[in-house]
Amino acid sequence: MKKRLIVVGAGLGGLSLALRAVSAGWQVTVLERSHQAGGKMNILAQDGYRFDTGPSLITLPHVFRQMFEECGVGTGSLRFRRLQPLTQYRFPDGERITYPDKLPAIASMLERLEPDGGRGYWRLMATAAKLFELSQRTFFQSSPFELPTSRQLQALVRSLRWFPLRNAWGNYSRTVERHIHSSYIRQIFNRYPTFVGSSPYRSPATLLVIPYLEFAHGGWYVDGGLYRIIETILGALRERGVMIATNADVVSIIERNRRVRGVCLASGDVVEADVVAFNGDATRAHTLLGMPPPPRLPERSMSGVVFLIGLRRQLPADVFHHTIAFSTDYRREFVELFDRMEFPSEPTVYLNVTSKTDSTTAPPSGETLFVMANAPAVEGRQWEHAIPMLWERMMRVLERSGIHIVESDIAVRSVWTPEHFERTYGMPGGSIYGFASHSYRTAFLRHPLRDRNVRGLYYVGGSTHPGGGTPMVVLSSKLVFDLIKRHEMDS
Ligand SMILES: Cc1cc2nc3c(=O)[nH]c(=O)nc-3n(C[C@H](O)[C@H](O)[C@H](O)COP(=O)(O)OP(=O)(O)OC[C@H]3O[C@@H](n4cnc5c(N)ncnc54)[C@H](O)[C@@H]3O)c2cc1C
């Protein structure tokens, strides 16, 4: 008899786990409460414009390729495209830096901006490279809550020779300031912790692995839009006979004698299983188990405000696929976001124009824009009334940077506030990456992948180990399935 797995949630993590399990011979059912699979990695198609509503940048594409290869999924039509150059940064004083990603160009940028020719920059990158190597051998291989296998233990012991990595301990922004002199490059570095919804002024220096990742492995787009990744997984799941039910809200996880038995849907239907994996926010699982909430939770990572804009006219050719328009006072922005829990009075704005790379995402002579600013994650806060203010503040910064969006050119406009994210995906306060990585504990000790009280219950996705962001979520599906194989095959 095939073992039965229910995956609650069709986010990238849930779908990746379903793919691994069905490819290993399990009978798999996916239950998703929203009307469309993909979770935060989703799509909006309207009047000839196609928008990715969540992720817009892929790092570590090999993590995706590896999964497809391990599961025997052909990826002929899935094309990862490295964007070169990746991002243009626009500063409030008019300076523009098109951040280079080739060694000679980086060296000449450093010659121009750093008095010591960039020695501090290379020192930071060298530390980050070692940290990344170390993570690959340890952190990406197993959850710290599980006993390591002998292979993992050996890898850990071998890696200890790198300690102490002097520059890896301490505060992120202060470490950057110690090594980098140019205010422009400091500011660019200080943006990376926001990739995991965190403040550079509160994060540990270990997050330097993020700029290193971009430097060493590049930033990628998928032709046709990033949702093509979800479509490829969905196609493979359907081919293999996985039942994927949307509009299927799981209201409780059924356990008896501390062993999971199945789930109950809002419709009252009960679906039985040997193993259940929850892909929603793991810190919310107690509500499905009828248990009291955990005592005190760490700070949530940031949410965002996103405007999806379909333009009838194209933006000038000097606007890149990824542009960052910085605010005048980055530090104040994070005080507003994390201390006052307010939307920044002057937000840094991220503009993603997929149609600059991929004309299939917009009608002829149109443009597809994803405009985003960070926002605080506050549970239950109502945002709808604030939309005109959010738009006005974000447009002011874009305009100062030289990018003008003319109202009469707008053919499609869709707004996503933290309230919208919270409601649609069940993310507390609309927080995008689970907890903020503001301490070593929250950066490295995420929610365990395996429930300690209920046998057969697992957690997968960005709120668990190793963390948020698409490649980490795919890695979490691998780690969870390794655990399921280890603990559930004989029971
Ligand atoms: C605006 C935005 C920009 C982003 N940018 C990037 C980026 O550029 N690069 C990057 O790598 N990452 C980015 N991310 C993060 C990335 O999208 C996420 O880390 C990843 O997609 C999360 O996947 P997940 O599997 O954890 O689950 P989620 O996407 O959170 O999916 C969980 C699913 O579970 C469902 N669910 C929850 N509870 C239940 C229930 N009780 N019953 C049934 N279903 C349930 C939810 O509806 C949801 O569909 C971005 C995210 C957002 C929102």
Side-chain angles (χ1 to χ4, degrees), residues 8-15 31-34 36-42 53-59 64 195 226 248-251 265 278-281 288 304 306 350 370 372 421 424-427 430 432-433 460-463 467-473 476:
V8 180
L12 176 65
L15 294 175
L31 302 170
E32 166 58 49
R33 70 179 201 174
S34 129
Q36 187 160 278
K40 290 168 211 147
M41 192 170 199
N42 229 301
T53 60
S56 51
L57 173 75
I58 293 290
T59 49
F64 297 84
F195 283 28
L226 270 51
D249 189 8
V250 170
V251 290
L265 295 166
F278 183 58
N279 178 217
D281 189 288
L288 301 181
V306 177
Y350 163 53
F370 171 106
M372 180 172 175
F421 284 119
T424 313
Y425 304 125
M427 305 140 64
I432 294 177
Y433 296 96
V460 63
S463 62
T470 54
M472 295 301 126
V473 164
S476 97

Side-chain angles (χ1 to χ4, degrees), residues 373-399:
N374 293 318
V378 186
E379 278 189 64
R381 179 175 288 179
Q382 293 178 352
W383 286 83
E384 298 303 313
H385 67 281
I387 289 171
M389 173 273 282
L390 304 171
W391 172 256
E392 192 262 323
R393 286 187 188 176
M394 288 164 72
M395 287 309 116
R396 208 184 308 149
V397 174
L398 267 191
E399 270 168 29

Side-chain angles (χ1 to χ4, degrees), residues 95 156 281 477:
E95 174 76 31
L156 186 66
D281 189 288
S477 76

Side-chain angles (χ1 to χ4, degrees), residues 159-432:
S159 308
L160 289 179
R161 69 194 157 90
W162 280 330
F163 279 93
L165 284 172
R166 269 192 308 137
N167 303 321
W169 308 112
N171 172 274
Y172 182 94
S173 67
R174 281 199 293 273
T175 305
V176 168
E177 270 167 38
R178 257 203 328 274
H179 290 83
I180 308 251
H181 301 92
S182 150
S183 61
Y184 300 122
I185 302 182
R186 280 182 182 172
Q187 176 101 2
I188 290 171
F189 264 74
N190 276 342
R191 188 181 154 255
Y192 288 102
T194 67
F195 283 28
V196 288
S198 306
S199 159
Y201 306 103
R202 295 191 182 192
S203 298
T206 40
L207 292 201
L208 283 164
V209 288
I210 306 176
Y212 169 74
L213 275 185
E214 191 179 289
F215 165 83
H217 297 271
W220 301 70
Y221 173 72
V222 176
D223 282 354
L226 270 51
Y227 194 72
R228 295 277 303 110
I229 294 176
I230 296 290
E231 287 171 340
T232 305
I233 304 177
L234 287 175
L237 292 179
R238 290 198 183 106
E239 251 170 42
R240 290 159 166 78
V242 172
M243 216 276 267
I244 305 161
T246 47
N247 300 309
D249 189 8
V250 170
V251 290
S252 65
I253 295 171
I254 305 166
E255 58 102 7
R256 223 172 298 126
N257 301 328
R258 303 183 71 180
R259 164 97 229 164
V260 83
R261 303 287 161 178
V263 300
C264 181
L265 295 166
S267 60
D269 291 339
V270 168
V271 190
E272 292 183 353
D274 304 301
V275 174
V276 171
F278 183 58
N279 178 217
D281 189 288
T283 61
R284 283 297 175 86
H286 63 273
T287 56
L288 301 181
L289 288 161
M291 288 182 180
R296 204 175 148 267
L297 292 173
E299 206 171 12
R300 300 263 173 208
S301 64
M302 290 186 287
S303 184
V305 169
V306 177
F307 288 92
L308 303 173
I309 306 288
L311 280 188
R312 289 191 193 90
R313 255 194 284 166
Q314 286 177 345
L315 293 173
D318 68 350
V319 176
F320 281 62
H321 187 116
H322 297 289
T323 303
I324 301 293
F326 277 121
S327 62
T328 42
D329 190 343
Y330 208 46
R331 192 180 282 274
R332 182 184 65 200
E333 220 176 313
F334 287 91
V335 170
E336 290 172 333
L337 284 163
F338 281 104
D339 295 342
R340 301 201 201 128
M341 304 303 278
E342 286 168 2
F343 186 75
S345 44
E346 190 203 353
T348 289
V349 177
Y350 163 53
L351 172 68
N352 169 237
V353 191
T354 47
S355 45
K356 286 287 180 215
T357 306
D358 181 352
S359 60
T360 68
T361 59
S365 73
E367 205 90 274
T368 305
L369 274 55
F370 171 106
V371 193
M372 180 172 175
N374 293 318
V378 186
E379 278 189 64
R381 179 175 288 179
Q382 293 178 352
W383 286 83
E384 298 303 313
H385 67 281
I387 289 171
M389 173 273 282
L390 304 171
W391 172 256
E392 192 262 323
R393 286 187 188 176
M394 288 164 72
M395 287 309 116
R396 208 184 308 149
V397 174
L398 267 191
E399 270 168 29
R400 189 191 50 214
S401 80
I403 297 170
H404 304 279
I405 297 175
V406 180
E407 284 278 346
S408 57
D409 289 344
I410 298 177
V412 170
R413 194 174 98 136
S414 168
V415 190
W416 292 63
T417 64
E419 181 183 352
H420 195 139
F421 284 119
E422 180 167 39
R423 225 180 22 237
T424 313
Y425 304 125
M427 305 140 64
S431 147
I432 294 177

